[in-house]
Amino acid sequence: MNDTIAAISTTLGIGAIAIIRVSGNQAIQIVNKIFKGKDLEKVQSHTINYGYIVENDKIIDEVLVSVMKSPKTFTKEDIVEINTHGGIAITNKVLELLLNNGCRLAEPGEFTKRAFLNGRIDLIEAEGVMDLINAKTEKARNLAINQVNGEVSKLIRNLRQKIIEILANIEVNIDYPEYEDIEQMTNEMILENIKTIEEEVKNILNKSENMKIIKEGIKTIIIGSPNVGKSSILNRLLNEDKAIVTDIAGTTRDIVEGNIKIDGIILNIIDTAGIRKTDDIVESLGVKKSLDLINEADLILYVLNNNEEILEEEKEILSKINSKNHIIIINKIDLDSKIDKSLLKDYIEISIKNDIGIDELKNKIKEMFNLEKLDNQDLTYLSSARSISILKKSLESLESVKEGVKNKMPIDMIEIDLKQMWSLLGEIIGETYTDELIDQLFSQFCLGK
């Protein structure tokens, strides 16, 4: 990180202003080479300076230049931000001059990556920055801001502190057994402390599943046999003609996607190909894709035809989705009923043709995911799949500690699993990490951030 990086930090295009950001040990000196105005190396930190960007004696643009000296900056390095007039030609020209005078083009997310590596933010806060940029709802924004300001990180740091206190007592007992005034850390005492930590971890995990829904939305798929009205339901939910609707079975051959907002939560809805046995190669590929999506979905809307008997293959699907979040929808209740409803435990009856039942369907979804309760829920919890997955692994280490205590294993053996949990929690906030993880995480950021 000894080089100085530069990138355009605003969307490239026509606009009122554009910002080119520079960070590194030579940031001020390099910008000073192409700036006509005050000597930037002599101005005070955190000041905005009027002048011109020039190439030799030729004026490129009239600008405002912000100078922020380390360590009180986002990256903890010297940062200069050049505010130019918005426009593709202008911003690209200023960036070109910076690169010609010693800067390197920043990689995606490299400014935030430097903030992490220099200790300005931790991994949860870094992920929060990206979530804040990508937030599509007010709830998602509130969730992200709690990550950015460090509130979520405190949860993990508190857990690590409790574990390190147990480990410290174990170490003292092992290294100085001759001192009688030291409290002996017995297996029973460890078990008592572990139960408290376990309750906290499980509580965080339970609440974090809801946070993931707020951040990513609910992946919802609509499945069913051909011509039961799946595409009509999608169109009605979205209030637009997203999917083609005909009376010909097998019209939908690939997935059609859209999203709606219910109580501030995004529903990512996928209309799938009708599930049936077919010799049509293209349609069969669509059917396979529909079946594969069942395993990935957070919510399955399974549509049946009120005007037809339940087929054996439909019964197989009912059995397949039984263990997942699902809502059975009986469509076309405006037609004569031929379906045996006694085979179904719970269902919603609708008629897309007569505009009946859509509001009931939305209310069912709200009830299933407690969406109304999320309004008042504390948003200080984990939200990324990465951190939730690591926390689940740490719970496994905790189970190993409990098992070791029950089996009266030596205390130094139990210590190994406690250290493993402490290390895993460190991965969540970035106290321990691999270069591959960091490269992958920050590569998902946009350029200039």
Side-chain angles (χ1 to χ4, degrees):
M1 295 198 301
N2 293 326
D3 50 358
T4 297
I5 57 174
I8 299 168
S9 289
T10 46
T11 302
L12 193 60
I14 298 173
I17 62 169
I19 298 174
I20 298 95
R21 177 183 283 175
V22 185
S23 180
N25 295 333
Q26 299 297 312
I28 298 172
Q29 294 91 321
I30 291 173
V31 176
N32 207 30
K33 292 179 185 178
I34 63 170
F35 180 69
K36 184 178 180 181
K38 290 183 180 180
D39 185 345
L40 297 179
E41 295 188 54
K42 296 179 180 179
V43 301
Q44 291 186 346
S45 181
H46 294 75
T47 58
I48 299 175
N49 304 275
Y50 170 79
Y52 299 90
I53 295 296
V54 296
E55 183 179 24
N56 299 322
D57 293 327
K58 181 182 177 182
I59 294 176
I60 303 300
D61 193 21
E62 183 181 27
V63 298
L64 292 173
V65 176
S66 302
V67 175
M68 294 161 279
K69 298 179 181 179
S70 67
K72 294 183 178 181
T73 68
F74 179 61
T75 61
K76 296 189 79 172
E77 302 172 335
D78 287 344
I79 288 182
V80 179
E81 290 184 351
I82 305 171
N83 290 256
T84 71
H85 289 94
I88 296 172
I90 295 172
T91 49
N92 278 335
K93 182 62 179 179
V94 175
L95 180 61
E96 178 190 327
L97 290 173
L98 290 169
L99 299 180
N100 289 340
N101 280 276
C103 286
R104 170 176 65 77
L105 183 64
E107 298 172 357
E110 191 169 1
F111 291 95
T112 311
K113 181 179 178 180
R114 289 191 175 202
F116 164 70
L117 293 175
N118 288 329
R120 169 69 173 73
I121 58 175
D122 61 35
L123 271 192
I124 290 180
E125 291 167 324
E127 288 174 319
V129 170
M130 183 164 59
D131 292 345
L132 194 58
I133 293 169
N134 295 327
K136 296 182 177 68
T137 67
E138 181 64 12
K139 284 190 178 75
R141 185 196 66 78
N142 285 329
L143 176 62
I145 205 69
N146 279 337
Q147 290 179 255
V148 171
N149 66 20
E151 291 300 313
V152 180
S153 301
K154 288 179 185 177
L155 291 174
I156 303 304
R157 294 187 193 281
N158 288 339
L159 284 173
R160 293 190 92 215
Q161 181 60 33
K162 289 178 181 180
I163 293 172
I164 205 68
E165 287 172 5
I166 298 172
L167 288 170
N169 280 329
I170 290 174
E171 289 290 342
V172 169
N173 277 235
I174 292 173
D175 294 341
Y176 305 102
E178 67 275 13
Y179 289 101
E180 296 180 358
D181 58 340
I182 296 175
E183 184 180 25
Q184 186 176 2
M185 179 59 72
T186 63
N187 283 2
E188 288 71 25
M189 290 177 64
I190 291 175
L191 188 60
E192 184 179 336
N193 290 323
I194 284 302
K195 284 181 179 178
T196 302
I197 295 173
E198 182 182 32
E199 288 174 6
E200 286 188 42
V201 172
K202 287 182 176 178
N203 179 55
I204 293 171
L205 281 173
N206 289 335
K207 299 288 179 63
S208 294
E209 290 299 331
N210 286 337
M211 300 306 105
K212 191 178 174 186
I213 287 174
I214 290 173
K215 174 187 170 184
E216 300 177 4
I218 301 170
K219 187 172 184 178
T220 307
I221 66 166
I222 307 174
I223 62 171
S225 300
N227 212 26
V228 294
K230 299 184 302 299
S231 296
S232 296
I233 291 172
L234 174 71
N235 289 343
R236 183 64 186 81
L237 286 169
L238 299 178
N239 286 322
E240 63 173 297
D241 293 333
K242 187 91 172 183
I244 299 171
V245 177
T246 73
D247 292 329
I248 303 169
T251 300
T252 304
R253 298 190 167 206
D254 201 354
I255 62 175
V256 181
E257 300 181 57
N259 60 66
I260 62 170
K261 193 186 298 182
I262 298 180
D263 276 13
I265 303 297
I266 297 292
L267 251 67
N268 303 301
I269 310 174
I270 302 172
D271 175 28
T272 63
I275 298 174
R276 68 171 177 178
K277 294 179 181 177
T278 176
D279 294 328
D280 187 302
I281 295 175
V282 176
E283 188 181 354
S284 65
L285 288 172
V287 172
K288 182 181 182 304
K289 193 178 290 186
S290 300
L291 293 171
D292 290 341
L293 282 170
I294 290 176
N295 298 321
E296 303 173 14
D298 300 313
L299 172 63
I300 299 163
L301 304 181
Y302 188 35
V303 188
L304 298 171
N305 191 343
N306 180 59
N307 193 233
E308 296 177 355
E309 295 180 358
I310 299 177
L311 304 173
E312 284 302 317
E313 55 199 60
E314 288 177 319
K315 292 178 183 177
E316 290 177 14
I317 298 297
L318 284 169
S319 176
K320 184 179 179 68
I321 68 174
N322 191 48
S323 61
K324 298 184 68 68
N325 288 326
H326 69 278
I327 298 173
I328 297 172
I329 301 169
I330 299 177
N331 189 25
K332 304 184 182 181
I333 59 170
D334 51 287
L335 302 177
D336 292 336
S337 181
K338 296 179 182 179
I339 192 171
D340 185 357
K341 296 175 184 175
S342 66
L343 298 173
L344 309 172
K345 293 181 181 179
D346 189 22
Y347 53 86
I348 290 176
E349 295 181 304
I350 71 170
S351 169
I352 295 298
K353 181 180 179 181
N354 293 339
D355 199 17
I356 298 171
I358 288 296
D359 286 340
E360 185 183 351
L361 173 58
K362 290 180 180 178
N363 288 333
K364 183 70 175 178
I365 295 171
K366 287 164 63 175
E367 177 187 329
M368 181 173 286
F369 289 91
N370 294 317
L371 298 188
E372 290 179 347
K373 292 183 180 179
L374 289 183
D375 270 338
N376 302 316
Q377 187 167 324
D378 178 12
L379 300 181
T380 312
Y381 289 94
L382 302 173
S383 63
S384 76
R386 179 194 72 86
S387 53
I388 292 172
S389 173
I390 294 172
L391 192 58
K392 286 178 179 178
K393 286 181 183 177
S394 74
L395 201 56
E396 292 173 10
S397 295
L398 209 57
E399 287 297 324
S400 297
V401 173
K402 288 168 61 180
E403 198 66 30
V405 171
K406 289 177 183 177
N407 293 330
K408 301 186 183 301
M409 291 180 64
I411 200 166
D412 53 341
M413 296 297 292
I414 293 170
E415 183 186 23
I416 294 173
D417 289 315
L418 274 173
K419 285 182 176 178
Q420 172 68 11
M421 182 181 185
W422 184 79
S423 179
L424 283 168
L425 292 174
E427 288 182 27
I428 295 176
I429 55 177
E431 293 289 340
T432 55
Y433 61 87
T434 62
D435 290 340
E436 291 80 8
L437 167 67
I438 298 304
D439 290 342
Q440 172 61 30
L441 192 151
F442 288 102
S443 68
Q444 300 171 45
F445 281 62
C446 55
L447 277 168
K449 189 57 185 171

